[in-house]
Amino acid sequence: MHIQIAAVGKLKEKYLVLGIAEYAKRLGPYVKLTLTEVADERAPETMSAAEEAQVREREGERLLAQIKPDAHVVALALDGELWSSEDLAGQLDSLATYGRSHVAFVIGGSTGLAPAVLRRAQQRLSFGRMTLPHQLMRLVLLEQVYRAVKINRGEPYHK
């Protein structure tokens, strides 16, 4: 299976870079992993709704350009479905079983995802109603993908 995580912005914090590298290494024997970063838009701290929409659109265009047409897209969005780790494992297993072996998880920037990205997504996933920094979300998502792989393989994983 090919798992892609496409995200807006460059990772800056060393602890996140190290954590992501650790889970990428753990996933190496099981999946082909691609971590795709697209540039975030320079934007003032306070923006009008129209300016936020423009930022989302530009970032969304960059994200969509990095996603292959045959990818099954899962957008991380506050209004998405809440899945347990077992649900995620089941989703990945089902996709692999039915020939959808390229799954792209998409994480927006600080203003969220563009409507075009949300339309491209076959599914929306939420990790809850709390807002998390999009950079931290990458690490959380990678850990959950690793956990899902271990669940599907019937292998132990720390609790």
Side-chain angles (χ1 to χ4, degrees), residues 9-150:
K10 186 157 184 66
L11 281 176
K12 297 170 187 133
E13 288 82 3
K14 186 176 180 180
Y15 73 96
L16 292 173
V17 171
L18 292 172
I20 287 170
E22 176 62 27
Y23 282 104
K25 181 178 84 175
R26 290 183 188 191
L27 279 164
Y30 305 113
V31 301
K32 178 183 178 194
L33 179 67
T34 304
L35 303 172
T36 306
E37 294 179 338
V38 301
D40 53 351
E41 276 295 302
R42 295 239 181 251
E45 195 65 33
T46 56
M47 293 183 280
S48 68
E51 289 170 322
E52 283 188 9
Q54 286 179 338
V55 166
R56 278 191 299 275
E57 290 302 319
R58 289 184 191 126
E59 291 172 347
E61 289 169 3
R62 291 183 194 123
L63 285 167
L64 290 172
Q66 297 300 316
I67 298 170
K68 294 194 184 312
D70 66 335
H72 180 89
V73 177
V74 180
L76 273 64
L78 287 174
D79 67 347
E81 296 178 46
L82 295 170
W83 294 346
S84 67
S85 298
E86 292 78 12
D87 292 336
L88 176 59
Q91 292 287 334
L92 293 177
D93 188 52
S94 178
L95 289 167
T97 299
Y98 294 103
R100 300 302 304 259
S101 61
H102 182 180
V103 180
F105 292 93
V106 183
I107 302 171
S110 60
T111 62
L113 286 169
V117 175
L118 295 172
R119 283 191 302 273
R120 170 66 177 86
Q122 284 82 11
Q123 294 177 292
R124 293 184 192 186
L125 171 62
S126 174
F127 278 73
R129 291 182 11 200
M130 290 184 187
T131 301
L132 295 173
H134 56 279
Q135 293 183 1
L136 177 59
M137 196 64 242
R138 292 184 215 182
L139 178 59
V140 173
L141 175 60
L142 261 179
E143 189 281 333
Q144 284 298 302
V145 168
Y146 177 70
R147 185 179 296 271
V149 166
K150 296 296 264 184

